Every structure is written in C-alpha cells, then in structure tokens.
Amino acid sequence: MIPFDYARPATVGAAVASINKDATAQLIAGGTNLVDLMKRGVMSPQKLIDVTRLPLKEIKEANGIIRIGALALNSEVAENETIRKALPLLSQALNAGASAQIRNMATVGGNAMQRTRCPYFYDTVMPCNKRQPGTGCSALKGYNRMHAIFGASDKCIAVNPSDMCIALAALEATVIVAGAKGERRIPILDFHRLPGDNPAKDNNLQKGEMITAIEVPVNKAFAKNSLYQKIRDRASYAFALVSVAAALDIKGKTIQQARLAMGGVAHKPWRLTTAETFLKGKEATVANFQQAAALALKDAKSYGHNDFKLTLAPNTIVHTLKTLTGI
Amino acid sequence: MDKLFFDTNAPMADLDRVDGRAKVTGAAKYAAEYDLPGMTYGVLAGSNITKGTITAIDTKGAEKAPGVIAVITHLNAPKIPGYDEGTNPAKGQTGGKGLRIFNDNIIRFNGQPIALVIADTFERATYAASLIKAQYNKEAPHTDLVDAMKTDKPLEGQRYNEVVRGEKDAWKGAPVKIESTYIMPIHVHNPMELHATTVRWDGDDKVTVWEKTQGVKSTQQSVMQAFKLEEKNVQVNAQYVGGGFGAALRTWPHAIAALMGAKKTGKPLKLVLTRPQMFTLVGYRPEAIQKIAIGANTDGRLMGMMHEAAAITSTYEAFNEGLVKMTLQLYACANVTTKYNIYQLDVSTPTWMRGPGEATGSFPLECGLDELSYALKMDPIELRLRNYAETDPENGKPYSSKFLKEAYELGKDKIDWKRRNPEPKSMKDGEWQVGYGMSTGLFGAFRGQANLAAKLYADGTLLLQSAVSDSGPGTATAMVQIASDAMGIPANKIRFELGDSSLPPGPTQGGSSTTSTLGAAVSNACVTLKKKLAEAAKKSPVFGGDVAVESLDFSKGELSLKGDDSKRLSYGDVIKGAALSSIDVIENAVPNPAMQKYSAYSYSVHFVRVKVHPLTGVVRIDKIVTAADAGKIVSYKTAESQMIGGVVGGLGGALMEEGVIDHRYGRWVNNNLADYHVPVHADVPHIEAYFVNKPDPVLNPVGSKGMGEIALIGFAAAVANAIYHATGKRIRQLPITPDKILEANSI
Ligand SMILES: Cc1cc2nc3c(=O)[nH]c(=O)nc-3n(C[C@H](O)[C@H](O)[C@H](O)COP(=O)(O)OP(=O)(O)OC[C@H]3O[C@@H](n4cnc5c(N)ncnc54)[C@H](O)[C@@H]3O)c2cc1C
C-alpha cells in the first residue's frame, strides 16, 4: 500500500470538488473493496476522499419511488422495513452478498462501484487489460471458472460481482450522480458497461462524478412475487457462480409481465429481455420456463472452466421461476 | 513401567477448556502480539517469477523509503552458519535440503522471498517492500502434475519402490472388480493465526523467539543449529498457537530471516506473513492423482487391491508421506500392490497437513470400496465387516486394541442407516435427492518420549510443566484432567504450563500423539507423587509410621487409609508435616517396550447424509455422525471438539477447498480467504461425535489413542459416497462443487 493523503469533506459539493481538482483522488466509503485493492497494489490513489460523513444515508419513499442514499449501508437497506415490504428482491439480493460484517461496512454507492473479482485483475503480476490496458487477458485461456458467458470481448471476460445490482436491474432502478455540472440520472442498465475494447472502464460514471442515491420504482405486483436465487460454491460468503433476480406480475396462472436479470454471467447486470418477452402472456409452466431459459442462453459463450454455466444458468432460471410460482 | 490407573467404567470427564477464558477474552497472547521496546518490523518481498535466477535487484527505492532500517537480499545477507553443514533447518525433513533463504540467486517457486525489508512500522516496511525491483533470467515454469506424469520420471529410491504383498495383479482375476482414478487438489492449512516470529537478541549468542510453532523444543533445536548457539541461550516461547494443522511443524525460512534481520540490526524484530504468503511459505497438502483397483469374490471377500499415487513436491525437497499405506493396513486382503510416485515441480515444499498421507489415500480407497459395494450389491458396511482385519495385515501382529466394529455399529445406529434405500438415486426430499454415505479412517496410534515436572505444593495445588505447544486441541485441559483424575485434586487447583522451551523437554505436537505421549508422563508423575506422599506421610502420627502406597486411597485429593477412612491427611498437611514446601517429581516417560509385539491404530467411521439439488448441483450436508475408536477419552469436551473440527476440515476438503495455480505462470490465483473457500457456519450441520471409549491397555497408562488425524481422514470419501447414493453420479475429483455435479453423467 502506498502512502496517501486523506480528507473528509462535509458536503457533496466539497467531495465532488476534491475529485475534480485532483486526478489521483478517489472516494472511499466502507472501504471493503477499495482497501483490499490498495493492499494488493491494484489501485493506488494518492488521496482518499472519505464520504462516509456526507448526509446521504436516508431511505425514503415518495410518489411510488424509493430513494436510497448512496451511503446507506448494505445491511441497513436489507433490513429496512420499507425495502423489505416494497422491494423484497433488493433485500434478498443484499443479504445474499458478502458477510454480515462486510454488509455492515459496505455502502450502496460502493456496492454499485465494486470492481470485478477476476483473480488476474487482483494480482499485479499476471497480465490483465482491466488493470493494465494492453497487457492481455489472462482469464481468456486461464482459470476462468467464475467468468462471463454473455457480452464478453477478447479483451476481458470478467464479471461484475454485485448481487445488489442484479436486483436493481430487474427492478429498473436509476442511479443518481452528482458532478461538477450538477446532477445526472442514469438508468441502472446503462450504468455498468460491457468490456469491449476498453475493459478498464467498468461503468459510465464520468471522472469527477459521484453517486448520491439510487431510485427504485415500487411495483406492488412484483413486490408480491419476486425472488433472488444465488448459486455459489458454499452456502454463504461466496460470490455467485450464477444468480437470478426474478419478479413476476401474475394473474391466475398467466404471467402479465416478467422481469429477469442474471448475475455472475457478464461484465454488467444481465437483463434477460427475450425471455421476459417470451413469458409475457404465457402460462406459468415448467415447459414455458425451460423455453424462456433456452432463449435467454441463445447468445451465451463459454471459455473452458466456465462451460458448466451454460447448463447452470438456464437451470437456475427454471429453478427460480419454479420456486417463485410454486410449480 | 507404566501403571494403569483409570477406571474404565467412570463417565467421560467433561472439563471446560482451561485456556478458554483467556482465548475468548483476548488475554491469550500469540507470537505476533508481543510488543518489545524499540520493535522493528520485517516484511518479505517475493519473487514474481517461478523459475530462474535473479540477475539484478534494485533496493535503492526501498532503502530510501521512510522509516527503513535495513534491506536484506541474497547479496548482503549475513551467513547462516548452519546452512553450510546442511543441518536443520535447511535439511529437508524427508529428503533434500530446505530452502536456504537469501542464500543464492536461484528462484525455485513463485513468491520465494527475495528481500527482507526492516522498518520502524509494519506499514512502512510493507510499502518499502513493494519498491524492491528484481530483474530475472526467467525459465519456463513447470508446476502441473498432469504434465509431469506425462513427461517426467518420478523420484526413485526405497521409499518409492513398488510394494507387493502376496500376488501382484490378483485383483484383475476377481469376478467383481473396480478400477478408477481419483484426483485431489492442493489443500492449504490456513490457520486463522498467520505465521509470525518475534525475535530479540541479547548480544551475539543469546536469543529469545516468540514463534508460532507446534514444537517449542524442535524450534529451539533448529535455531541452535542454524546460528550455532547453545541450548541455554535459545529461548523459544509459544504460549498460545492459533491453529497449526501441521503448518507449524517445522521452522520455516521466514523465521530464519527474522532471526537474521534482528541480528543484523541489533533491534527486536517482528515478522508476520501475509495471507497470500501463507499459501507459499509454510507448506500445504500436495495435490495427488491416484489409481485404485479392487477385486473381490462374489461374497465380498477382497481378492486383491492396487493403489498407485502420484503427488507433487518441490525441486529442492522430496516431501513424502504415507499416501498408499492405508490400503496396506485397513483390510484383511492377502494381495495388495502399492506404488507411490512423487514429482518435483517448481513449487514450494509441501508439508504434513492434518491426517497427513491417509487423508489423501483414504479418498480413493474408501470411494473404491464404495464402488465395489454397489458392484457387489452389498451394504458398504457389510463389505467392510467381511474384510475386517483381526490382526495387522502388514505384519500379522495383534492389535493393542481395536474397536472398529463397535464404531461401525455406533455410527450406523446414530445416522439411522436402516432408513437408507440401497438403490442409488432412490431417495428424495422434495426437489432434493437424498443420499447416505460412509467411510472409514485409520491412523497409527503413537507414543513418544516426554519429560514433565510436577510440583505439589503445601497449599494443595499442583503445577505441571512440559515444553510442548498446544496448537489448538486443548492439551493443557486434557493433562489437567488426567492429573485431576489421578490425584483427586479439583481441576481448578492444577495448572499446566507449556509453550516455553526452558521447561522439561516435551514432544512436538503432531501425529495425534500428544495425549498419548504427554498423558503418560502426567500419569506416571502422579504415580511417583503418590509414592512420595506415602513416604512423606511416614512422619505423621495419623497412619502410625510406615504405610504402603497400595493401602492408601488418593481419589479424594487426600491420603486416606483404605478400609478406614477416619485415618486421613490432606496433601498439604503431609507436605507441611514433612517440613517441605513442595513435593517435586521430574518424570521421563518413554514408550512401553511391550508395544513391539503389537500394532496400534485409531479408527474413525464417518457417516453423512447429503441432499443434492439436481437442477443447480448444490450439495448440502444434512447430517453428520462420526464415531471413533480413539481409546479412552480422557477429556470429553476437547475430544468432541477435536472430532468436530476435523470433520469441518474434511467437509471443506470434500466440497470446496482447492488451491489453484495457473500453470502458465506457476502463480497462485486464489491465495486469499475470499477465493480459497473453507466452510462457513451455514455449510456445517449439527455434527454428532461419538466415542467407543474403550482404553487401549498397552500403548500408554491412560489408555488413550490419537484423535486429531482420524477426525478428518476418510471424510471426503463419505461425502462423495453419499453424493453417489443420492444422484448415481460418481465424482472422483475434489472439491465436489456444483459444476462437477452438473457435468457428471448419471448411472
Ligand atoms: C470477502 C468479500 C466477499 C464479498 N462478497 C460479496 C458478494 O457475495 N456479493 C456482493 O455483491 N459483494 C460482495 N462483496 C463486495 C462488497 O459488496 C463490496 O466490497 C462493497 O459493497 C463495497 O462498498 P464499500 O462502501 O465498502 O466501497 P469502497 O470499498 O469504499 O469503495 C468501492 C469503490 O466505490 C467507489 N465509491 C464508493 N462510494 C462511492 C460513491 N458514492 N460514488 C462513486 N464512487 C464511490 C470507491 O471509490 C471505490 O472505487 C464482498 C467483499 C469481500 C471483501
């Protein structure tokens, strides 16, 4: 870890000003991701701007939209009564992530910004285009069991590790950011990006911007019928091999509307729009779920160690929908 | 000679851990927690390449960094006198020469220390270490066992010769037979406590070391030999050890580096490994690929077995262990062939890890037996009973004790084995497939030599001292319990002191032998104490002169005349009456020579019930029952905890632990506890541990056998067998993660 300066601004304006002024400055919230990366030498900010004292912790509902401050803790959001009632999918996804201790430190903004867990990104010696552009992707032909099956490029096959963001993708949340020029609203699905030729960039947050809140629309039908399923190598405290966030608006046996997003499969939360379209107006049957899952996997591609995800991913979609509908 | 004192009908003693409070309140101090005035901090920088030589090393940046006191590399390292002679610690413990730190410019494995940076704070030393820049002459790394088996020759020598008992290929002619290959990855000990060495030199030839070690005496010897010091000038302390599992059985190069660094600067130094360094600098369980073949008659009697193992070691040491031994030892089978191959790769040296050898070897053996049971359509327990060894198949010797049959019965009953439908893939619980599996574990029951001091004071308290470490099992608790039973003194009046090399020499804690070895010393010391008490009691009018020790009862913590307990005297009064301040005994307990006529093993039988989710491949262990023949249980709580801990380790090995090296670079990819998975609470069901609790009458006077290793040995096989029973999928590669379940073909 390199020596660094530390500042603790009192206002969002001051925090934004600091990261605009100083190119080597970086925000720190719970530190559960950033400090690890600094210890491993993967990230080396020369100045840390501690945002944890900013007044951005509130969770409140207004006009059918729940606004969650960027500094609300993962555990606070997961246990919040409003969230548990109106957005149970989000609560489940948060509780499926990390450990109780980490969730007590981790913030919503930090969670959305957390970096990939690709082991080659985490090691400063082996090549990685995300860490050191142009050096190559070690995972492509290396140990890629945890890696992407959707939307990867030959420059990077890493996945976004967040559970929270998978639920947010299914719920069509909006990320609110503050920058030097004021506030900007980014739909969650446009927030993270695919690696393409520039895997160093995880998301579309611009230099000098910070997340101030996340807004999630409330949908009563989804609140009644949603489920987050995470398949992992141990019962808790492990990143997803794959995960599925599902929300259904269902009348009788007929699906009016479906929302499906997957984690552990892409560089960003992966919405299964073709499967959703297919399920609209269909009966909730295992055969339909299987067909939807097959459609969802149409463009999937695996890289060796992660071949199993081509089976696990559709199976988990089916399993989630079966569990959700009790079929 | 040992003398038996235990009462075999007494209930199992159930003492709380004597060090429990200190551990949970943080009062217990570990090697890294000693803060000495003027302390400096050492951090090791590691090699980025796997094989080659250092051509240049730039330490200027590090030397100029704030707070840096010294930087040591192979270019300026002080000479370690012991390195020249090839004595410990550089001598390989099972062949070859240990890594001589900073002794040359050759890189033998990725992460090999290339520099030690010493600074006034840990953070500054860490930063400066990141500034060390080496240039290398790099060679292609060779770390893949599968490749090595194709291209390399395994090491040769007596240890690696084929062993043929009876007829060589007898299994091939059997009417029912199986032949399979089993794969086990690297497992890493990963105790919670990081390895740490704190050193203070007092002049050039006197040193005190606080070290994470399973043997204060063996560490003392290593330091003496390395630096050519006298025994009285080397003090090693390890009052508390936060888990070892074998990783703290030897003095590793980082400890020598710490000693070297502190000597060079003349300041006390603390060196704590990082978690990634725990994967490369303190050993691991070697990866192994093993072939097993078993042939049986249609009645289940074994006609022949073949077990061939291939495992990895470093290029500089030939680490070997008994991978194939259990196949020779467990079952009555006249025709057994074994072969053990090790391949030298560009990796650091492996070391013993809980259940060394057998934990690996039992996986193919006990899965192979399970495969055979299905081929025979015979209950797997019945198959084992049909081949039950009444004498040691290796040498025909009788067992000093063997209650494996009783353990099978005990476990079978507690898991409710009769509910198992023998047909694989036949049992369900909702969506989940349900399966039952079992396996056997075996480990030699050993006893070494131990010295012990016992002091019985006039206030009735008893002090016991021996230079052993307790890496976790609760050694002091068991010893206090033994003494309490022997002397009738309440446990809270007995203190056991350990972890200090100046105490009477005790054994290194390994091979499940501490309770046997040290328990014997405690027991014998109590016998001597009683004699001395009887002798001292002569002066008291209560017994009216001479009184034979045999006619005295000690069970109530006092001397009383058998048959007339109105004649009684407290220990304190005896001691005071004889005008003494204490009665002292120095005991040197040695193995029982009668053991030469016997074979001795501890046994475990593991039963598990699993649930497998067919769509997602998720495995949940639903219930675990483990039954052991570990001789007399001297301390029930610590024994139960020991079994439970071993089983949790076994569960990790079965379902999630896997050390991964990227063979293109020879570099670790999961050297941290986020990616190297060990079980979390949610993975671990309620574990029931049962003991046959019958004393071994020969091995030692307390009747105990070993327990630490058998707790884990065989467990992975029980899980794999249960998964087969649940799913019809025979998974022969650990860990059994969801991908393997999904990709395996069903029967
Ligand atoms: C062992 C382990 C296991 C884990 N398992 C899981 C898991 O299973 N599932 C899962 O989803 N997560 C998991 N996590 C990740 C965890 O969720 C994240 O580390 C956490 O959410 C990050 O939040 P933080 O506040 O600590 O962020 P920090 O570490 O403080 O910051 C992370 C990044 O976000 C930036 N940042 C922080 N706040 C803002 C803001 N308001 N605006 C813009 N940028 C900001 C920082 O500059 C930094 O780059 C795990 C972490 C660990 C260490």
Side-chain angles (χ1 to χ4, degrees), chain B residues 456-461 571-573 575-576 580-583:
Chain B
L456 182 62
Y457 293 99
D459 64 0
T461 61
Y571 296 157
D573 286 342
I575 294 166
K576 281 178 225 149
L580 297 168
S581 60
S582 64
I583 292 184

PDB file of all heavy atoms in Angstrom, chain B residues 456-461 571-573 575-576 580-583:
ATOM      1  N   LEU B 456       3.834 -30.540  43.703  1.00  0.00           N
ATOM      2  CA  LEU B 456       2.638 -30.498  44.556  1.00  0.00           C
ATOM      3  C   LEU B 456       2.979 -29.619  45.752  1.00  0.00           C
ATOM      4  O   LEU B 456       3.910 -29.906  46.492  1.00  0.00           O
ATOM      5  CB  LEU B 456       2.269 -31.914  44.999  1.00  0.00           C
ATOM      6  CG  LEU B 456       1.023 -32.057  45.857  1.00  0.00           C
ATOM      7  CD1 LEU B 456      -0.223 -31.593  45.108  1.00  0.00           C
ATOM      8  CD2 LEU B 456       0.853 -33.523  46.282  1.00  0.00           C
ATOM      9  N   TYR B 457       2.233 -28.522  45.896  1.00  0.00           N
ATOM     10  CA  TYR B 457       2.558 -27.533  46.928  1.00  0.00           C
ATOM     11  C   TYR B 457       1.787 -27.777  48.219  1.00  0.00           C
ATOM     12  O   TYR B 457       0.746 -28.441  48.218  1.00  0.00           O
ATOM     13  CB  TYR B 457       2.270 -26.124  46.418  1.00  0.00           C
ATOM     14  CG  TYR B 457       3.188 -25.700  45.295  1.00  0.00           C
ATOM     15  CD1 TYR B 457       2.771 -25.773  43.969  1.00  0.00           C
ATOM     16  CD2 TYR B 457       4.484 -25.251  45.567  1.00  0.00           C
ATOM     17  CE1 TYR B 457       3.616 -25.391  42.939  1.00  0.00           C
ATOM     18  CE2 TYR B 457       5.338 -24.863  44.541  1.00  0.00           C
ATOM     19  CZ  TYR B 457       4.891 -24.936  43.230  1.00  0.00           C
ATOM     20  OH  TYR B 457       5.732 -24.562  42.233  1.00  0.00           O
ATOM     21  N   ALA B 458       2.280 -27.166  49.243  1.00  0.00           N
ATOM     22  CA  ALA B 458       1.661 -27.320  50.570  1.00  0.00           C
ATOM     23  C   ALA B 458       0.235 -26.763  50.621  1.00  0.00           C
ATOM     24  O   ALA B 458      -0.562 -27.157  51.455  1.00  0.00           O
ATOM     25  CB  ALA B 458       2.538 -26.652  51.628  1.00  0.00           C
ATOM     26  N   ASP B 459      -0.085 -25.840  49.693  1.00  0.00           N
ATOM     27  CA  ASP B 459      -1.468 -25.327  49.682  1.00  0.00           C
ATOM     28  C   ASP B 459      -2.400 -26.240  48.878  1.00  0.00           C
ATOM     29  O   ASP B 459      -3.549 -25.903  48.627  1.00  0.00           O
ATOM     30  CB  ASP B 459      -1.514 -23.901  49.127  1.00  0.00           C
ATOM     31  CG  ASP B 459      -1.089 -23.825  47.670  1.00  0.00           C
ATOM     32  OD1 ASP B 459      -0.753 -24.890  47.073  1.00  0.00           O
ATOM     33  OD2 ASP B 459      -1.079 -22.721  47.109  1.00  0.00           O
ATOM     34  N   GLY B 460      -1.869 -27.396  48.490  1.00  0.00           N
ATOM     35  CA  GLY B 460      -2.708 -28.385  47.811  1.00  0.00           C
ATOM     36  C   GLY B 460      -2.814 -28.191  46.309  1.00  0.00           C
ATOM     37  O   GLY B 460      -3.525 -28.938  45.642  1.00  0.00           O
ATOM     38  N   THR B 461      -2.116 -27.207  45.773  1.00  0.00           N
ATOM     39  CA  THR B 461      -2.169 -27.015  44.311  1.00  0.00           C
ATOM     40  C   THR B 461      -1.069 -27.819  43.635  1.00  0.00           C
ATOM     41  O   THR B 461      -0.039 -28.132  44.235  1.00  0.00           O
ATOM     42  CB  THR B 461      -2.019 -25.534  43.930  1.00  0.00           C
ATOM     43  OG1 THR B 461      -0.750 -25.065  44.396  1.00  0.00           O
ATOM     44  CG2 THR B 461      -3.139 -24.695  44.523  1.00  0.00           C
ATOM     45  N   TYR B 571      -3.060 -33.541  51.399  1.00  0.00           N
ATOM     46  CA  TYR B 571      -1.716 -33.484  50.787  1.00  0.00           C
ATOM     47  C   TYR B 571      -0.893 -32.384  51.443  1.00  0.00           C
ATOM     48  O   TYR B 571       0.288 -32.543  51.745  1.00  0.00           O
ATOM     49  CB  TYR B 571      -1.812 -33.214  49.281  1.00  0.00           C
ATOM     50  CG  TYR B 571      -2.500 -34.316  48.472  1.00  0.00           C
ATOM     51  CD1 TYR B 571      -3.069 -34.016  47.236  1.00  0.00           C
ATOM     52  CD2 TYR B 571      -2.544 -35.632  48.921  1.00  0.00           C
ATOM     53  CE1 TYR B 571      -3.674 -34.991  46.464  1.00  0.00           C
ATOM     54  CE2 TYR B 571      -3.157 -36.617  48.172  1.00  0.00           C
ATOM     55  CZ  TYR B 571      -3.735 -36.303  46.946  1.00  0.00           C
ATOM     56  OH  TYR B 571      -4.333 -37.263  46.192  1.00  0.00           O
ATOM     57  N   GLY B 572      -1.570 -31.238  51.654  1.00  0.00           N
ATOM     58  CA  GLY B 572      -0.865 -30.096  52.236  1.00  0.00           C
ATOM     59  C   GLY B 572      -0.298 -30.438  53.620  1.00  0.00           C
ATOM     60  O   GLY B 572       0.848 -30.113  53.916  1.00  0.00           O
ATOM     61  N   ASP B 573      -1.097 -31.138  54.416  1.00  0.00           N
ATOM     62  CA  ASP B 573      -0.615 -31.484  55.753  1.00  0.00           C
ATOM     63  C   ASP B 573       0.545 -32.472  55.698  1.00  0.00           C
ATOM     64  O   ASP B 573       1.459 -32.412  56.515  1.00  0.00           O
ATOM     65  CB  ASP B 573      -1.761 -32.046  56.595  1.00  0.00           C
ATOM     66  CG  ASP B 573      -2.722 -30.933  57.026  1.00  0.00           C
ATOM     67  OD1 ASP B 573      -2.298 -29.747  56.957  1.00  0.00           O
ATOM     68  OD2 ASP B 573      -3.873 -31.241  57.387  1.00  0.00           O
ATOM     69  N   ILE B 575       2.755 -32.580  53.322  1.00  0.00           N
ATOM     70  CA  ILE B 575       3.919 -31.806  52.901  1.00  0.00           C
ATOM     71  C   ILE B 575       4.435 -30.944  54.053  1.00  0.00           C
ATOM     72  O   ILE B 575       5.631 -30.936  54.364  1.00  0.00           O
ATOM     73  CB  ILE B 575       3.554 -30.945  51.668  1.00  0.00           C
ATOM     74  CG1 ILE B 575       3.262 -31.862  50.477  1.00  0.00           C
ATOM     75  CG2 ILE B 575       4.680 -29.971  51.321  1.00  0.00           C
ATOM     76  CD1 ILE B 575       2.580 -31.188  49.313  1.00  0.00           C
ATOM     77  N   LYS B 576       3.517 -30.283  54.736  1.00  0.00           N
ATOM     78  CA  LYS B 576       3.930 -29.444  55.871  1.00  0.00           C
ATOM     79  C   LYS B 576       4.520 -30.301  56.984  1.00  0.00           C
ATOM     80  O   LYS B 576       5.544 -29.960  57.569  1.00  0.00           O
ATOM     81  CB  LYS B 576       2.740 -28.646  56.419  1.00  0.00           C
ATOM     82  CG  LYS B 576       2.410 -27.425  55.567  1.00  0.00           C
ATOM     83  CD  LYS B 576       1.192 -26.695  56.142  1.00  0.00           C
ATOM     84  CE  LYS B 576       0.232 -26.331  55.032  1.00  0.00           C
ATOM     85  NZ  LYS B 576      -1.164 -26.308  55.425  1.00  0.00           N
ATOM     86  N   LEU B 580       8.339 -29.753  54.270  1.00  0.00           N
ATOM     87  CA  LEU B 580       8.704 -29.459  52.874  1.00  0.00           C
ATOM     88  C   LEU B 580       7.856 -28.293  52.391  1.00  0.00           C
ATOM     89  O   LEU B 580       6.802 -28.004  52.957  1.00  0.00           O
ATOM     90  CB  LEU B 580       8.410 -30.679  51.992  1.00  0.00           C
ATOM     91  CG  LEU B 580       9.184 -31.966  52.294  1.00  0.00           C
ATOM     92  CD1 LEU B 580       8.553 -33.138  51.541  1.00  0.00           C
ATOM     93  CD2 LEU B 580      10.646 -31.801  51.935  1.00  0.00           C
ATOM     94  N   SER B 581       8.322 -27.639  51.323  1.00  0.00           N
ATOM     95  CA  SER B 581       7.447 -26.625  50.721  1.00  0.00           C
ATOM     96  C   SER B 581       6.669 -27.229  49.558  1.00  0.00           C
ATOM     97  O   SER B 581       5.584 -26.774  49.213  1.00  0.00           O
ATOM     98  CB  SER B 581       8.256 -25.420  50.265  1.00  0.00           C
ATOM     99  OG  SER B 581       9.204 -25.820  49.309  1.00  0.00           O
ATOM    100  N   SER B 582       7.237 -28.265  48.979  1.00  0.00           N
ATOM    101  CA  SER B 582       6.508 -28.950  47.904  1.00  0.00           C
ATOM    102  C   SER B 582       7.105 -30.331  47.700  1.00  0.00           C
ATOM    103  O   SER B 582       8.203 -30.617  48.163  1.00  0.00           O
ATOM    104  CB  SER B 582       6.626 -28.158  46.600  1.00  0.00           C
ATOM    105  OG  SER B 582       7.974 -28.116  46.179  1.00  0.00           O
ATOM    106  N   ILE B 583       6.347 -31.165  47.018  1.00  0.00           N
ATOM    107  CA  ILE B 583       6.918 -32.444  46.590  1.00  0.00           C
ATOM    108  C   ILE B 583       7.118 -32.357  45.098  1.00  0.00           C
ATOM    109  O   ILE B 583       6.181 -32.023  44.356  1.00  0.00           O
ATOM    110  CB  ILE B 583       5.991 -33.611  46.962  1.00  0.00           C
ATOM    111  CG1 ILE B 583       5.958 -33.744  48.492  1.00  0.00           C
ATOM    112  CG2 ILE B 583       6.458 -34.910  46.318  1.00  0.00           C
ATOM    113  CD1 ILE B 583       5.160 -34.914  48.995  1.00  0.00           C
TER     114      ILE B 583
END
